[in-house]
Amino acid sequence: MTTKQLVKMETRGTWEGNLKTSIYAREFSPFIIDEPEYLGSTNEGPNPLEYLLGGLTGCTSVMIGLIAKEKDFSFQGIEFSNTGTIDARGMKGVEGVSSHFQTVSFEAVFSTDESDDRLEELKKEVERRCPIYNLIVDAGVAIDSKWYKK
């Protein structure tokens, strides 16, 4: 494939007051982005960075499903866990401090009878092709990615 295959995705949002926004994607009910009470909001939904971490899990999960099928890799389940750290000074406007994640740790625990080598092969291919994983890496954020079997 040498010709670009651009796919357009859209969302729209409505500010609901304070730090809360309703986000609409396709025909789905809106999801809420908010901040915790200690920041002066209502804590009615995850904040944008928590959604990004959830998006990393979701995107990785989709790519695992697609690539596992390509590679005839079988598994019965996966449990995900991830953490991101930020330097809050960046959001406060401190010069030279990035406001995005400084580090991200990502863990995928598989229920599978596949070999460790096959799991590592799947991991490498998913990390190569996962859009959100690569967005984070391309931003210069270190991702500590651990995949293993139960």
Side-chain angles (χ1 to χ4, degrees), residues 76-95:
Q76 296 72 51
I78 314 167
E79 295 294 324
F80 297 97
S81 175
N82 50 36
T83 305
T85 57
I86 64 166
D87 185 336
R89 297 176 305 159
M91 289 188 291
K92 294 176 182 176
V94 173
E95 192 69 33

Side-chain angles (χ1 to χ4, degrees), residues 8 17 46 56 58 71 75 94 106 112 118-119 134:
K8 183 177 178 182
L56 174 60
K71 296 188 170 295
F75 60 95
V94 173
F106 181 87
T112 183
R118 292 259 298 150
L119 181 60
N134 284 285

Side-chain angles (χ1 to χ4, degrees), residues 22-125:
S22 293
I23 306 293
Y24 301 82
R26 292 187 276 151
E27 69 278 358
F28 299 107
S29 297
F31 59 92
I32 302 298
I33 292 180
D34 200 4
E35 292 289 344
E37 290 176 358
Y38 74 85
L39 288 177
S41 200
T42 57
N43 199 38
E44 292 183 45
N47 69 37
L49 291 170
E50 291 164 332
Y51 271 110
L52 182 62
L53 289 174
L56 174 60
T57 294
C59 192
T60 302
S61 180
V62 167
M63 295 309 299
I64 288 169
L66 295 172
I67 295 167
K69 187 177 281 187
E70 289 173 10
K71 296 188 170 295
D72 198 28
F73 181 99
S74 67
F75 60 95
Q76 296 72 51
I78 314 167
E79 295 294 324
F80 297 97
S81 175
N82 50 36
T83 305
T85 57
I86 64 166
D87 185 336
R89 297 176 305 159
M91 289 188 291
K92 294 176 182 176
V94 173
E95 192 69 33
V97 179
S98 175
S99 59
H100 62 63
F101 286 121
Q102 305 299 299
T103 62
V104 169
S105 64
F106 181 87
E107 183 178 270
V109 182
F110 284 74
S111 296
T112 183
D113 294 326
E114 297 281 357
S115 70
D116 290 341
D117 287 343
R118 292 259 298 150
L119 181 60
E120 183 64 22
E121 178 185 327
L122 177 67
K123 176 183 184 275
K124 285 182 180 177
E125 188 64 9

Side-chain angles (χ1 to χ4, degrees), residues 112-149:
T112 183
D113 294 326
E114 297 281 357
S115 70
D116 290 341
D117 287 343
R118 292 259 298 150
L119 181 60
E120 183 64 22
E121 178 185 327
L122 177 67
K123 176 183 184 275
K124 285 182 180 177
E125 188 64 9
V126 168
E127 289 175 352
R128 184 179 79 80
R129 292 167 51 181
C130 178
I132 293 182
Y133 181 91
N134 284 285
L135 179 69
I136 294 168
V137 168
D138 291 350
V141 178
I143 298 184
D144 178 24
S145 179
K146 296 179 179 150
W147 293 34
Y148 52 92
K149 300 186 294 186

